[in-house]
């Protein structure tokens, strides 16, 4: 068998599962210490990066053509057809031109948005633990090559196709490959030669999720050669650019098309039977209504706003995995957050150590291993306290963390809780590496939030075997039957230790108990049953993990924004309560996981209305809490990191996974990933989510009255039997030129300062709520009155039709220039320096648009195309005066809305 070829149709690829591990090593030319770094580099060149070739997204031509696949565009194309049929060549050329420009803008913007989302998705690369040159290293999973030895643990996503070498209780969810959702138990013995994919128990396939246990495996295939690579055309999905809001808008477009057709037909019928207009005029009016009522720029604006929003969120460390979450975030009413790392710094420092009846305090901060042990204020040497030495030795051995000094600073590799214990041992002068050589580890049970302890088995060279266990004190205490007391094992003093624990936890310290057990020399493996009784307690340590300063501010911000923050932690109730008090979460009451277990779903729903702190919770408790909150009509964002959190993350309206310390399983289950694991980033994302929705509303409230005003103007002209005040080509000019200038500026609207002072949006509230409908109608009426009124007035005074139309077009554009300022805030007044000058892009757009309008009015080629004529200065004055009315009228309307509704504090 050779591994040189990079082909998915490798004839022998199917038999790795049936080979013995020795044979696999031989074929892949690898050994127990893994590959050498140089060999790995060579293989990387030969096999390429371990990633799937991205799906060829829809070809550019098809994507361009798809831009025309929209009912509104069909209406425009039909309009072009009609104008061509009646030989209005300029009109049909302009309509076609607009359709084309629109398609081009859509094409470019969609490409950009897709690109931006892809880039954000690529921020979520994952790492693999690999053995190279005998050392365990974390490397990007992309750099794995065949022959690499990889470790897996619960929560990991399998990074490549692996033949398993050593397995401990490994279960893998391979549903993406086999469709079977029940996790499969794995082992290292060769599977049957003809076994189907789902029955190859000796393999872990790329992209499978490890739901339990640990294993080592050797990489047999990477990238497109993996099993998932073969079928991945199904999985290589391009991110969907759709959200509930976009669907609503698509629905709105269909509804609008129907309305336009009815209106055009009615106008046609009215003009034919009552107005007795010529067929040509009638066709032009119908076309005019169609092009007027269609908000050509809207779809592009919505896509741009969403893409900008998602990029802004990514810049603030919140990576959106599923686009609809952008909208849901804006209506979140409860954020359920983990404590450790999210609300706290996750930089643990041991401050207290209790052995016997002595409580030592430990000096120093962070992972710098310098600091004295003190007893009753006096320096203490561990040589005088053998129990303390025993505890520190156990803490260093039952541990997977490492502390290293680089560039003068001390760095942690591994779990902070364990890092704090290593630092503690180093402070006492113990050397963890030396201890591990003296007492090598033979087996271990890794820490899981589910059982809340970790155990390791060690053998020394003098013929002794020990098991060391550390974990949540209540858990450990229940497994201990004696304690170490002046060199002897004595019956455990339960009441004493509970008092000690409450006292330390009351100071906000996180607790950990450490115990041991002597084992028969012959034991080489540990099972849960071995750990759960007969232990000897060595002592309890308390470590501080201060709240993140920015989390305190963010919690306050949430409370002002009508969002309740709930802290759900695996920690002790007293610790949780003390930290919650520092963060100003809750009113002091704490509900424990055990208490939650006793409540029915209905009781839980009621009980949690007044409680914001949940301690010693299990992942199942989290799931029940989300469900109970949702049953109480809350929109829930829930954080999680472990594999067992996945159900709760999936269930929550917005599942939030930790990017740094979270497992791949948690990330897959989430809508959003926090790049910095920080609570403040969730709050920023909520803020952005609200802001995006507001900006979309603003764009819509700006664009629709323009279309409405234009359509009404034409309808009014038909009803009154007057000539059209604006021809279809002129309408298209106005629509396109304002879409690419004014409308776009609202997508860049900065987040309103008051946005986090409002209550969350009702998720059931339709986009075009009563208020928006009213505002659109109100402004449409102002626009039609001003435009049509000025047209009639000037025409009445003797202006030619061409001149009156030039006035109408300019008035309409001026109306929009004024109205775009109103649209910056939906309810609040913009009569303030910030309101008028807060968004510089608007002024720029107004400046550019003025240039366009001057060209439209005075430049001969434009005059030829659009039938415009020169205007004099007084006419400009008149137009500006009329157009400015919208600005004042809308501000007055806002004043009354604020007066009579509860939008006083709203934007
Ligand atoms: P949160 O759920 O808010 O992140 P947490 O980190 O305290 O809080 P868990 O990680 O479930 O929650 O830890 C629960 C308890 O398990 C801790 O209070 C501690 O006593 C114990 N514990 C934590 N990490 C370890 C570890 N690596 N080894 C042994 N015990 C641990």
């Amino acid at each position: 068998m050779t591994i040189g070829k990079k082909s998915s149709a490798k004839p022998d690829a199917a038999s790795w599962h049936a080979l013995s591990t020795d044979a696999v090593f031989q074929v892949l030319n690898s050994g127990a210490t893994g590959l050498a770094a140089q060999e790995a580099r060579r293989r990387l060149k030969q096999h390429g990066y371990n990633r799937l070739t991205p799906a060829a997204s829809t070809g550019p031509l098809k994507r361009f053509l798809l831009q025309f696949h929209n009912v509104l565009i069909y209406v425009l194309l039909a309009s072009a057809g009609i104008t061509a049929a009646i030989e209005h060549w300029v009109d049909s050329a302009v309509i076609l031109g607009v359709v084309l420009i629109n398609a081009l803008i859509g094409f470019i913007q969609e490409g950009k948005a897709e690109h931006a989302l892809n880039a954000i998705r690529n921020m979520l690369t994952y790492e693999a633990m690999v053995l190279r040159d005998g050392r365990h290293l974390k490397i990007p999973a992309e750099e794995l090559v065949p022959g690499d030895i990889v470790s897996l643990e619960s929560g990991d996503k399998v990074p490549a196709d692996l033949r398993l070498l050593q397995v401990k209780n490994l279960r893998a969810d391979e549903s993406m490959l086999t469709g079977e959702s029940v996790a499969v138990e794995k082992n290292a013995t060769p599977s049957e030669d003809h076994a189907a994919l789902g029955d190859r128990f000796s393999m872990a396939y790329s992209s499978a999720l490890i739901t339990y246990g640990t294993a080592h495996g050797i990489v047999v295939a990477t990238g497109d050669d993996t099993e998932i690579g073969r079928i991945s055309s199904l999985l290589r999905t391009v991110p969907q650019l759709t959200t509930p809001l976009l669907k609503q808008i698509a629905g709105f477009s269909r509804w609008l098309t129907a309305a336009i057709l009815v209106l055009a037909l009615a106008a046609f019928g009215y003009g034919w039977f009552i107005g007795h207009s010529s067929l040509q005029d009638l066709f032009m009016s119908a076309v005019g209504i169609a092009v007027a009522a269609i908000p050509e720029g809207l779809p592009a604006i919505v896509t741009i706003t969403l893409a900008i929003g998602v990029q802004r969120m990514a810049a603030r460390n919140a990576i959106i995995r599923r686009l609809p979450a952008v909208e849901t975030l804006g209506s979140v009413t409860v954020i359920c957050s983990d404590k450790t790392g999210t609300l706290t710094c996750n930089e643990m420092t041991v401050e207290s150590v209790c052995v016997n009846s002595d409580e030592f305090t430990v000096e120093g901060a962070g992972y710098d291993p310098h600091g004295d042990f003190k007893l009753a204020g006096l320096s203490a040497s561990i040589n005088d306290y053998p129990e303390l030495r025993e505890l520190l030795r156990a803490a260093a051995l039952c541990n997977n963390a490492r502390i290293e000094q680089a560039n003068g600073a001390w760095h942690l590799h591994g779990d902070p809780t364990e890092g704090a214990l290593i630092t503690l041992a180093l402070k006492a002068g113990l050397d963890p590496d030396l201890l591990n050589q003296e007492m090598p580890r033979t087996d271990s049970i890794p820490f899981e939030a589910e059982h809340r302890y970790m155990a390791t088995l060690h053998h020394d060279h003098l013929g002794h075997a020990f098991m060391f266990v550390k974990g949540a004190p209540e858990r450990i205490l229940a497994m201990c039957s004696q304690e170490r007391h002046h060199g002897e094992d004595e019956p455990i003093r339960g009441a004493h230790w509970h008092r000690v624990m409450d006292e330390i936890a009351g100071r906000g310290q996180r607790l950990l108990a450490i115990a041991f057990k002597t084992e028969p020399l012959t034991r080489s493996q540990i099972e849960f049953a071995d750990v759960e009784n007969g232990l000897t307690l060595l002592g309890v340590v308390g470590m501080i993990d201060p709240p993140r300063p920015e989390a305190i501010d963010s919690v306050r911000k949430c409370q002002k924004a009508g969002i309740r923050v709930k802290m759900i932690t695996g920690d002790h109730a007293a610790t949780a309560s003390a930290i919650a008090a520092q963060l100003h979460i809750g009113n002091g009451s704490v509900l424990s996981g055990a208490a939650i277990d006793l409540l029915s779903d209905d009781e839980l729903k009621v009980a949690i209305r007044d409680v914001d702190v949940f301690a010693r919770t299990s992942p199942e408790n989290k799931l029940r809490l989300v469900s109970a909150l949702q049953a109480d009509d809350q929109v829930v964002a829930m954080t999680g990191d472990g594999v067992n959190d996945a159900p709760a993350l999936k269930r929550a309206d917005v599942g939030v996974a930790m990017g740094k310390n979270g497992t791949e399983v948690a990330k897959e289950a989430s809508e959003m990933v926090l790049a910095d694991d920080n609570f403040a980033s969730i709050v920023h994302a909520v803020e952005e989510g609200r802001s995006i929705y507001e900006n979309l509303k603003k764009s819509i409230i700006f664009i629709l009255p323009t279309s409405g005003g234009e359509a009404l103007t034409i309808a009014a002209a038909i009803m009154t039997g007057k000539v059209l005040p604006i021809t279809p080509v002129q309408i298209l000019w106005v629509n396109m030129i304002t879409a690419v200038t004014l409308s776009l500026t609202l997508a860049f609207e900065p987040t309103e300062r008051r946005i986090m002072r409002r209550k969350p949006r009702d998720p059931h509230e339709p986009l075009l709520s009563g208020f928006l409908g009213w505002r659109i109608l109100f402004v449409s009426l102002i626009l039609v009155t001003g435009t049509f009124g000025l047209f009639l007035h000037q025409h009445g005074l003797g202006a030619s039709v061409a001149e009156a139309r030039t006035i109408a077009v300019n008035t309409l554009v001026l109306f929009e220039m004024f109205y775009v300022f109103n649209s910056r805030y939906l309810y609040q007044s913009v009569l303030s320096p910030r309101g008028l000058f807060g968004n510089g892009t608007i002024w720029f757009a107004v400046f550019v648009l003025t240039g366009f309008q001057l060209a439209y009015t005075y430049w001969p080629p434009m005059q030829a195309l659009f039938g415009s004529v020169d205007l004099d200065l007084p006419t400009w004055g008149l137009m500006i005066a009329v157009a400015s009315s919208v600005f004042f009228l809308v501000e007055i309307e806002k004043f009354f809305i604020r007066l009579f509704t509860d939008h006083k504090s709203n934007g």
Side-chain angles (χ1 to χ4, degrees):
M1 185 185 306
T2 59
I3 55 156
K5 275 181 287 153
K6 189 166 178 251
S7 145
S8 59
K10 213 164 25 179
D12 47 7
S15 49
W16 290 110
H17 60 278
L19 292 184
S20 71
T21 51
D22 287 343
V24 176
F25 269 122
Q26 212 179 355
V27 175
L28 291 169
N29 200 6
S30 181
T33 54
L35 297 174
Q38 205 182 2
E39 173 63 12
R41 270 197 298 278
R42 194 191 65 74
R43 290 193 189 189
L44 189 61
K45 258 198 207 120
Q46 182 189 354
H47 295 273
Y49 280 100
N50 173 33
R51 58 182 166 223
L52 300 179
T53 314
S57 52
T58 329
L61 182 68
K62 191 166 172 208
R63 267 204 309 136
F64 182 67
L65 290 178
L66 274 176
Q67 301 294 327
F68 298 92
H69 180 52
N70 176 321
V71 273
L72 294 176
I73 301 294
Y74 295 159
V75 175
L76 284 182
L77 289 174
S79 305
I82 292 173
T83 44
I86 55 173
E87 298 185 5
H88 277 231
W89 301 114
V90 176
D91 293 72
S92 44
V94 173
I95 297 175
L96 283 178
V98 166
V99 169
L100 212 65
I101 293 173
N102 204 39
L104 262 174
I105 294 177
F107 174 75
I108 294 168
Q109 286 307 335
E110 219 177 81
K112 271 194 185 164
E114 207 175 279
H115 188 75
L117 290 179
N118 267 329
I120 286 165
R121 238 172 35 146
N122 287 339
M123 290 165 76
L124 292 173
T125 51
Y126 63 106
E127 296 183 313
M129 187 61 104
V130 69
L131 190 66
R132 294 238 174 115
D133 287 320
R135 272 174 71 89
H136 289 281
L137 303 171
K138 238 184 192 166
I139 62 164
E142 282 193 346
E143 291 172 16
L144 286 178
V145 292
D148 262 332
I149 296 181
V150 173
S151 335
L152 296 174
E153 60 178 32
S154 92
D156 284 351
K157 183 161 144 182
V158 181
D161 281 2
L162 307 180
R163 168 69 168 85
L164 296 168
L165 302 172
Q166 209 182 32
V167 168
K168 186 155 174 92
N169 303 329
L170 192 76
R171 287 207 287 271
D173 170 1
E174 297 180 331
S175 51
M176 63 289 294
L177 267 177
T178 59
E180 174 57 68
S181 59
V182 180
V184 188
E185 185 106 31
K186 297 285 180 178
N187 57 49
T189 36
S191 311
E192 267 181 42
D193 207 359
H194 298 294
L197 206 63
D199 297 329
R200 297 181 191 166
F201 303 115
S202 58
M203 299 289 293
Y205 288 108
S206 177
S207 292
L209 298 171
I210 302 300
T211 58
Y212 200 80
T214 53
H216 297 295
I218 180 164
V219 175
V220 298
T222 59
D224 290 339
D225 292 345
T226 58
E227 287 299 328
I228 198 87
R230 293 162 195 247
I231 59 157
S232 68
S233 54
L234 298 171
L235 290 152
R236 288 175 206 166
T237 45
V238 180
Q240 285 272 309
L241 287 171
T242 191
T243 73
L245 183 68
L246 283 180
K247 281 190 202 137
Q248 261 190 44
I249 290 177
F252 173 72
S253 301
R254 282 192 290 278
W255 176 88
L256 191 67
T257 313
I260 290 168
L261 291 179
V262 169
L263 198 67
L265 225 73
F268 194 94
Y270 182 91
W272 181 251
F273 292 110
I274 301 170
H276 304 295
S277 314
S278 74
L279 203 58
Q280 275 219 354
D281 283 353
L282 286 174
F283 270 126
M284 286 313 286
S285 314
V287 167
I289 286 186
V291 296
I294 293 175
E296 283 87 358
L298 191 60
I301 301 284
V302 174
T303 318
I304 295 170
T305 312
L306 278 172
I308 292 176
V310 171
Q311 277 171 296
R312 273 197 210 169
M313 286 188 182
R316 298 178 89 180
N317 290 318
I319 299 159
I320 297 294
R321 291 189 69 242
R322 294 191 242 283
L323 204 54
V326 177
E327 287 167 29
T328 322
L329 271 167
S331 51
V332 161
T333 59
V334 180
I335 302 178
C336 295
S337 173
D338 278 346
K339 173 178 72 66
T340 310
T342 317
L343 289 164
T344 65
C345 301
N346 206 10
E347 277 167 20
M348 312 269 177
T349 313
V350 175
E351 281 217 327
S352 348
V353 183
C354 291
V355 285
N356 290 331
S357 300
D358 297 329
E359 185 183 333
F360 296 86
T361 49
V362 188
E363 295 186 326
Y367 300 112
D368 181 352
H370 298 97
D372 273 353
F373 284 68
K374 299 233 156 143
L375 185 63
L378 301 173
S379 283
S381 158
I382 64 155
N383 295 330
D384 301 334
Y385 301 93
E387 277 86 16
L388 178 59
R389 169 180 272 281
E390 266 186 83
L391 175 133
L392 296 177
R393 184 181 65 165
L397 287 170
C398 185
N399 204 313
N400 293 325
R402 237 169 350 114
I403 304 282
E404 269 175 15
Q405 195 178 22
N407 307 324
W410 292 90
H411 297 281
L412 161 74
H413 299 274
D415 175 50
T417 306
E418 299 191 349
L421 295 177
I422 294 284
T423 310
L424 181 74
L426 288 167
K427 279 179 183 169
L430 299 183
D431 178 353
D433 288 340
L434 203 64
L435 286 175
N436 269 302
Q437 280 166 23
E438 286 167 12
M439 300 184 77
R441 187 189 291 185
T442 359
D443 197 17
S444 67
I445 296 179
F447 174 78
E448 299 262 3
E450 221 177 342
H451 50 255
R452 287 197 206 110
Y453 63 75
M454 166 176 175
T456 51
L457 180 67
H458 300 258
H459 288 76
D460 69 10
H461 305 298
L462 303 170
H464 304 110
F466 294 102
M467 183 168 66
F468 296 114
V469 188
K470 71 176 196 310
E474 304 96 298
R475 202 68 183 94
I476 301 292
L477 231 58
M479 307 191 295
C480 289
S481 43
Q482 57 267 330
E483 63 179 73
R484 213 62 175 149
H485 206 66
H486 299 302
E488 305 288 329
D489 284 356
E490 289 193 358
I492 188 122
R493 296 169 294 161
H496 162 76
W497 287 109
H498 278 292
R499 211 173 38 249
V500 169
M501 278 156 42
D502 284 344
E503 214 256 309
I504 301 179
R507 286 184 245 143
Q509 293 184 20
R510 180 182 166 84
L511 293 167
L512 207 78
I514 299 173
F516 84 105
K517 190 179 187 179
T518 320
E519 290 287 340
L521 192 59
T522 47
R523 185 177 302 287
S524 61
Q525 286 198 337
I526 36 176
E527 305 293 335
F528 284 104
D530 305 325
V531 187
E532 308 227 327
N533 55 53
L535 297 183
T536 305
L537 183 72
L538 289 169
V540 170
V541 299
M543 43 187 92
I544 50 155
D545 177 19
R548 287 176 182 265
E550 66 274 32
I552 302 178
D553 290 341
S554 301
V555 169
R556 194 176 316 123
K557 210 168 179 183
C558 284
Q559 284 156 349
K560 282 197 184 128
I563 300 168
R564 204 144 170 179
V565 180
K566 295 192 185 266
M567 181 168 112
I568 305 184
T569 174
D571 227 330
H572 191 278
T575 316
S577 178
I579 298 282
Q582 291 174 35
L583 287 158
H584 306 292
I585 295 176
N587 54 7
S589 29
V590 182
L591 201 62
S592 73
I596 292 176
D597 289 337
L598 297 177
L599 296 175
S600 73
D601 288 347
D602 281 335
E603 286 166 342
L604 185 64
K605 185 171 105 179
V606 179
I608 59 178
R609 284 190 189 143
D610 299 323
V611 182
D612 291 336
V613 181
F614 303 90
R616 289 292 187 229
T617 48
S618 64
E620 295 77 59
N621 294 148
K622 276 194 178 181
L623 180 60
R624 283 193 66 208
L625 283 171
V626 181
S627 308
L629 285 164
Q630 286 174 332
D632 211 16
D633 286 334
Q634 305 293 331
V635 179
V636 187
M638 160 78 79
T639 66
D641 45 17
V643 60
N644 298 316
D645 291 334
L649 291 172
K650 266 196 194 138
R651 176 70 204 243
D653 299 280
V654 183
V656 184
M658 300 300 145
K660 283 208 277 189
N661 289 329
T663 57
E664 288 304 319
V665 174
K667 289 180 201 166
E668 300 268 314
S670 300
E671 272 78 30
M672 182 168 103
V673 176
L674 299 182
D676 60 353
D677 294 10
N678 188 342
F679 180 77
S681 301
I682 310 177
V683 183
H684 291 151
V686 169
E687 191 174 342
E688 291 294 347
R690 287 184 173 194
S691 174
I692 291 172
Y693 204 84
E694 286 295 293
N695 286 356
L696 283 173
K697 261 195 196 166
K698 288 172 190 171
S699 303
I700 289 168
I701 217 171
F702 173 71
I703 294 173
L704 291 188
T706 316
S707 303
E710 289 165 352
L712 284 180
T713 306
I714 303 229
I718 298 167
M719 303 296 258
T720 50
K722 308 282 178 198
V723 281
L724 289 185
I726 318 182
T727 63
V729 279
Q730 292 170 345
I731 286 171
L732 286 172
W733 164 262
V734 175
N735 284 358
M736 285 315 290
I737 208 69
T738 56
V740 296
T741 53
L742 299 180
S743 317
L744 207 54
T745 61
L746 292 171
F748 294 95
E749 195 52 41
T751 305
E752 284 181 29
R753 252 188 303 185
R754 291 169 175 273
I755 206 148
M756 291 302 270
R757 304 257 177 91
R758 293 179 215 162
K759 293 210 171 57
R761 173 173 56 85
D762 174 0
H764 305 300
E765 165 198 299
L767 178 71
L768 287 174
S769 60
F771 164 72
L772 288 202
W774 150 252
R775 173 71 61 79
I776 290 167
L777 184 70
F778 178 62
V779 177
S780 299
L781 288 174
I782 299 174
L783 261 55
V784 67
T785 314
T787 311
F788 198 37
L790 207 54
F791 172 84
L792 291 179
H793 176 253
Q794 292 293 307
H795 195 36
L797 287 180
S800 66
V801 171
E803 191 181 343
R805 280 182 175 161
T806 313
I807 292 171
V809 166
N810 277 307
T811 310
L812 199 57
V813 172
L814 284 166
F815 262 131
E816 295 195 36
M817 285 188 191
F818 281 104
Y819 179 53
V820 74
F821 286 95
N822 297 121
S823 306
R824 291 198 59 212
Y825 303 150
L826 296 176
Y827 308 100
Q828 279 299 309
S829 166
V830 291
L831 291 168
S832 64
R834 197 167 171 270
L836 294 175
F837 303 105
N839 180 352
T841 48
I842 292 195
W843 282 99
F844 179 68
V846 167
F847 177 75
V848 172
L849 186 52
T850 308
F852 276 121
Q853 281 315 111
L854 290 177
Y856 174 91
T857 314
Y858 297 105
W859 193 35
M862 293 281 242
Q863 292 186 335
L865 190 63
F866 292 103
S868 50
V869 294
D870 291 359
L871 297 178
D872 56 17
L873 211 55
T875 312
W876 280 103
L878 185 65
M879 290 188 303
I880 292 173
V882 169
S884 62
S885 64
V886 72
F887 181 79
F888 299 108
L889 288 170
V890 172
E891 289 305 306
I892 293 169
E893 179 247 20
K894 283 186 193 174
F895 172 78
F896 282 107
I897 297 234
R898 288 198 301 274
L899 200 63
F900 295 116
T901 65
D902 60 351
H903 289 299
K904 287 189 184 63
S905 63
N906 285 359

